[in-house]
């Protein structure tokens, strides 16, 4: 029959050849390879200061008959360090989830046990099928003054460890980032970009628990973000974009009153509408300009078009001029 | 004893204040804007309370000012109105019931807070408590204004003496501090709940006011 044994890294391991006497003649193998006699003390196998590479199958054979007398699987590992636990409500007021992981690997199997106590009541945290180290709880009551206490215990063959989190219902509210962020140029408006997005699908009740949003945007060539906070609606028009520059835009969400901001949404890129001749794609023109002006601020192509007089109307000229002046001013600032 | 009688009298007197008909200005604004104002007030109070609670709990000393302090709820603490409610029940509240619950809760909380006022340690703390009580009184009046403009009757009478005459005052210093702790906790939770209550009311009563703030 086969055994399995767990030993700690750095430990000294003594393996006995089953019921054989100490002075019996035996041969030990590790993963099929013979082990040198120097590691033997009689019929005992001595492994000093074991390391991870010594995990494997160890077999003991009687000297002359070559009968298999004993076999064991050695797993070298570590007892668990204090686990990392995080709890969060991205689906307020439906419930919250907790997820955990070990800061360093143990190299042997671990089992996790989570307990959630609310006041005097013990609640059941339902384990998720995926991801594995996660469980979720439904709120039974809302607006509770009593804290939740979550304890995670991790156990393996070499030891155990645990960590505890105590929090108020409101403290862990953090929505998922907004979804389907779309940014589009506005025709005939070289300084505008129209951004729209949707509530995260995990937020169950935006009617009663409305979200507010934080939008940030910058042209790719600058490092500084501009910010807008919006307490209503899922769209916004940027009106001060630099003409012809490609922008990167992100949105974050937060419950109107409680909790913390979500992570930033996936970034979207967009370039304001420019009056370009049809045979050149706007994208190619902009890419060219962007790569050329990474180190310094160059006059953008739109001013050239303005100079040439190929404009639609007086309004467009004014925009062109203003854009040119603003950009020139910034250019001076950045030199 | 004597102190309990004085306490009861003070509460009865103070608690009659919210029923005063100082509602002319709010009626003119219309229900929608009154709700918005009330909502804004709860947010303002919640913000104020954070500082006030921190200071007061420090005055009470450990363990009350420890962030992990998580005591069991004692039966005596039930006197303070709790914001905790079943989710479906909360969703199903009528506008009238929702407003009335808020009105009753804050009227009583105000009462208890005012009792705190007289005993607090430093002059600074008493001043802050006094200021907060005034703002809280404003909230109670604001809720009354909303109810009135929507045609709902104010909940019958003030809260009255907060405890039946036979109930004991906190028998020792520690339990008295526990009472204070739970009072502040319930107040904080009510302010969070009210923000949600008034959000719901906002949606039902037009027009909603859109705020847009630009930050550089």
């Amino acid at each position: 029959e086969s055994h399995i044994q767990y030993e700690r890294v750095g430990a000294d391991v003594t393996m006995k050849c089953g019921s054989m006497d100490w002075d019996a003649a035996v041969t030990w193998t590790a993963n099929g390879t013979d082990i040198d006699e120097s590691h033997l003390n009689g019929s005992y196998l001595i492994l000093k200061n074991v390391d991870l590479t010594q995990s494997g199958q160890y077999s003991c054979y009687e000297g002359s008959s070559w009968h298999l007398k004993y076999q064991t699987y050695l797993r070298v590992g570590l007892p668990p360090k204090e686990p990392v636990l995080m709890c969060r409500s991205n689906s307020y007021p439906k419930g919250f989830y907790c997820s955990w992981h070990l800061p360093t690997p143990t190299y042997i199997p671990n089992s996790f046990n989570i307990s959630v106590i609310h006041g005097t009541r013990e609640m059941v945290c339902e384990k998720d099928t995926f991801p594995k180290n996660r469980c979720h709880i439904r709120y039974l009551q809302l607006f509770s003054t009593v804290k939740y206490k979550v304890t995670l215990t991790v156990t393996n063959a070499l030891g155990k460890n645990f960590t505890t989190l105590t929090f108020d219902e409101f403290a862990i509210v953090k929505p998922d980032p907004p979804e389907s962020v779309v940014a589009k140029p506005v025709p005939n408006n070289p300084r505008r970009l129209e951004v729209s997005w949707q509530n995260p699908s995990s937020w169950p009740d935006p009617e009663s628990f409305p979200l507010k949003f934080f939008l940030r945007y910058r042209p790719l060539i600058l490092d500084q973000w501009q910010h807008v906070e919006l307490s209503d609606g899922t769209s916004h028009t940027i009106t001060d974009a630099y003409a012809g520059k490609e922008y990167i835009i992100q949105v974050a969400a937060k419950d109107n009153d409680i909790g913390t901001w979500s992570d930033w949404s996936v970034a979207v890129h967009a370039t304001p509408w420019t009056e370009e001749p049809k045979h050149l794609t706007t994208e190619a023109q902009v890419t060219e300009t962007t790569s050329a002006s990474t180190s310094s601020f160059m006059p953008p192509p739109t001013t050239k078009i303005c100079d040439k007089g190929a404009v639609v109307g007086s309004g467009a000229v004014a925009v062109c001029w203003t854009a040119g002046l603003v950009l020139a001013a910034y250019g001076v600032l950045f030199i | 004893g004597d102190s309990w009688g004085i306490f009861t009298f003070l509460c009865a007197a103070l608690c009659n204040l919210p029923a005063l008909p100082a509602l002319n200005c709010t009626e003119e604004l219309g229900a929608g804007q009154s709700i918005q104002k009330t909502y804004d007030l709860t947010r303002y109070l919640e913000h104020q309370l954070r500082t006030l609670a921190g200071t007061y709990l420090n005055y009470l000393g450990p363990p009350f000012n420890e962030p992990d302090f998580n005591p069991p709820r004692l039966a005596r603490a039930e006197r303070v109105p709790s914001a905790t409610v079943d989710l479906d029940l909360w969703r199903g509240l009528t506008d009238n019931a929702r407003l009335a619950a808020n009105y009753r809760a804050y009227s009583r909380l105000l009462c208890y807070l005012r009792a705190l006022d007289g005993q607090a340690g430093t002059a600074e703390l008493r001043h802050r408590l006094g200021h907060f009580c005034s703002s809280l009184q404003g909230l109670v009046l604001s809720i009354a204004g909303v109810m009135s403009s929507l045609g709902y009757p104010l909940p019958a009478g003030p809260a009255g003496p907060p405890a039946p005459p036979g109930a004991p005052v906190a028998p020792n210093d520690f339990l008295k501090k526990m009472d204070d702790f739970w009072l502040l906790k319930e107040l904080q939770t009510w302010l969070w709940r009210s923000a949600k209550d008034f959000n719901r009311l906002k949606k039902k009563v037009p027009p909603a006011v859109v705020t847009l703030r630009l930050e550089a």
Side-chain angles (χ1 to χ4, degrees):
Chain A
E1 49 171 295
S2 197
H3 301 87
I4 186 165
Q5 79 187 83
Y6 296 98
E7 299 288 346
R8 201 175 168 146
V9 169
D12 294 338
V13 182
T14 303
M15 285 190 203
K16 295 189 188 175
C17 189
S19 53
M20 301 286 280
D21 293 334
W22 175 81
D23 55 0
V26 297
T27 310
W28 281 93
T29 65
N31 294 328
T33 313
D34 283 14
I35 299 177
D36 189 73
E37 273 190 16
S38 60
H39 293 105
L40 265 64
N41 176 358
S43 65
Y44 298 169
L45 174 64
I46 313 288
L47 298 170
K48 284 200 177 291
N49 193 17
V50 291
D51 62 45
L52 295 167
T53 61
Q54 290 173 290
S55 296
Q57 187 168 76
Y58 289 80
S59 313
C60 175
Y61 300 91
E62 188 179 15
S64 47
S65 63
W66 209 250
H67 279 147
L68 177 65
K69 285 294 177 186
Y70 181 76
Q71 196 168 66
T72 186
Y73 202 93
L74 175 69
R75 304 265 325 243
V76 180
L78 294 161
K81 288 220 162 101
E82 187 177 321
V84 176
L85 176 65
M86 178 271 281
C87 295
R88 180 181 152 218
S89 175
N90 64 344
S91 61
Y92 193 74
K94 227 167 45 173
F96 65 92
Y97 73 86
C98 292
S99 76
W100 55 88
H101 66 270
L102 286 170
T104 52
T106 60
Y107 306 100
I108 58 177
N110 309 296
S111 74
F112 296 92
N113 187 354
I114 191 158
S115 91
V116 181
I117 298 178
H118 183 217
T120 50
R121 188 199 275 127
E122 167 120 32
M123 301 177 81
V124 174
C125 196
E126 313 223 4
K127 291 236 167 122
D128 289 348
T129 41
F130 186 79
K132 257 187 346 161
N133 288 355
R134 193 153 135 165
C135 69
H136 61 272
I137 284 200
R138 293 189 80 96
Y139 282 126
L140 299 171
Q141 292 179 317
L142 223 52
F143 315 117
S144 176
T145 40
V146 179
K147 292 194 192 219
Y148 290 83
K149 182 168 166 172
V150 182
T151 305
L152 174 75
T153 310
V154 54
T155 311
N156 69 19
L158 299 173
K160 69 199 275 187
N161 213 324
F162 75 96
T163 188
T164 301
L165 268 184
T166 311
F167 52 83
D168 280 311
E169 178 185 312
F170 306 104
I172 59 165
V173 177
K174 175 177 168 177
D176 285 329
E179 292 170 8
S180 311
V181 184
V182 172
K184 292 192 294 216
V186 180
N188 301 308
N189 277 286
R191 304 209 57 198
R192 289 188 177 217
L193 285 169
E194 215 168 69
V195 191
S196 65
W197 59 90
Q198 282 172 2
N199 287 327
S201 49
S202 50
W203 196 253
D205 192 355
E207 279 291 308
S208 300
F209 297 84
L211 294 168
K212 62 180 175 182
F213 302 97
F214 211 70
L215 190 131
R216 70 176 185 179
Y217 59 98
R218 65 173 172 88
L220 282 182
I221 48 178
L222 293 180
D223 287 328
Q224 186 134 50
W225 293 95
Q226 276 183 272
H227 297 108
V228 184
E229 185 169 329
L230 301 152
S231 23
D232 215 344
T234 53
S235 64
H236 175 73
T237 305
I238 296 167
T239 55
D240 60 350
Y242 297 132
K245 297 291 171 213
E246 184 179 348
Y247 270 77
I248 178 169
I249 299 152
Q250 287 179 298
V251 194
K254 180 182 171 304
D255 175 275
N256 233 338
D257 314 295
I258 59 177
T260 54
W261 286 99
S262 72
D263 293 337
W264 289 108
S265 70
V266 167
V268 292
H269 294 240
T271 310
W273 173 92
T274 50
E275 205 198 336
E276 294 289 356
K278 288 297 176 205
H279 60 88
L280 274 174
T281 63
T282 315
E283 296 278 10
Q285 185 90 350
V286 170
T287 322
E288 221 183 324
T289 314
T290 313
S291 55
S293 55
T294 37
S295 51
S296 64
F297 228 86
M298 305 254 289
T302 43
T303 51
K304 284 189 192 157
I305 289 169
C306 290
D307 291 346
K308 279 183 188 164
V311 294
V312 178
S314 58
V317 177
V319 173
C320 274
W321 265 108
T322 324
L325 279 169
V326 169
L327 289 162
Y330 269 87
V332 170
L333 273 172
F334 278 115
I335 283 170
Chain B
D2 281 355
S3 55
W4 183 244
I6 293 168
F7 176 77
T8 315
F9 168 76
L10 272 172
C11 259
L14 293 168
C15 292
N16 271 305
L17 282 172
L20 286 172
L23 306 170
N24 292 337
C25 45
T26 51
E27 274 174 321
E28 284 159 24
L29 284 173
Q33 283 184 285
S34 298
I35 293 173
Q36 180 63 45
K37 274 185 176 296
T38 314
Y39 171 82
D40 291 339
L41 248 176
T42 66
R43 307 290 291 126
Y44 170 70
L45 278 163
E46 192 252 309
H47 195 258
Q48 257 201 302
L49 182 61
R50 272 186 243 166
T51 328
L52 177 64
T55 315
Y56 195 84
L57 290 174
N58 275 330
Y59 158 71
L60 291 181
F64 302 100
N65 58 350
E66 281 157 23
D68 281 355
F69 185 48
N70 191 19
R73 206 80 196 267
L74 304 170
R76 57 184 294 106
E78 297 306 326
R79 295 180 298 157
V80 177
S82 179
T84 312
V85 65
D86 174 74
L87 175 57
D88 290 324
L89 208 110
W90 178 81
R91 274 218 179 90
L93 286 172
T94 61
D95 293 349
N96 188 7
R98 197 177 293 280
L99 285 160
N102 274 267
Y103 180 82
R104 272 193 224 102
Y106 289 117
S107 301
R108 287 181 64 189
L109 286 164
L110 180 60
C111 225
Y112 286 115
L113 260 187
R114 280 180 164 147
L116 224 56
D117 203 347
Q119 301 154 36
T122 63
E124 155 86 25
L125 193 53
R126 284 196 295 273
H127 174 77
R128 281 201 201 198
L129 267 169
H131 181 65
F132 188 86
C133 281
S134 304
S135 308
L136 189 56
Q137 156 109 80
L139 176 61
V140 176
L141 285 169
S142 193
I143 298 172
V146 173
M147 294 187 81
S148 154
S149 64
L150 288 174
Y152 299 131
L154 279 183
V169 189
N172 65 43
D173 199 42
F174 182 81
L175 286 178
K176 165 79 182 60
K177 290 182 178 179
M178 275 291 254
D179 286 350
D180 295 353
F181 172 83
W182 281 116
L183 173 61
L184 291 170
K185 201 104 209 270
E186 282 296 355
L187 183 52
Q188 181 178 58
T189 312
W190 258 111
L191 288 167
W192 277 325
R193 170 175 160 175
S194 293
K196 299 305 178 206
D197 279 324
F198 284 97
N199 257 328
R200 262 185 104 85
L201 288 162
K202 255 198 279 187
K203 303 285 176 186
K204 293 185 165 187
V205 183
V209 177
V210 176
T211 46
L212 214 104
R213 291 193 310 252
L214 284 167
E215 286 171 356

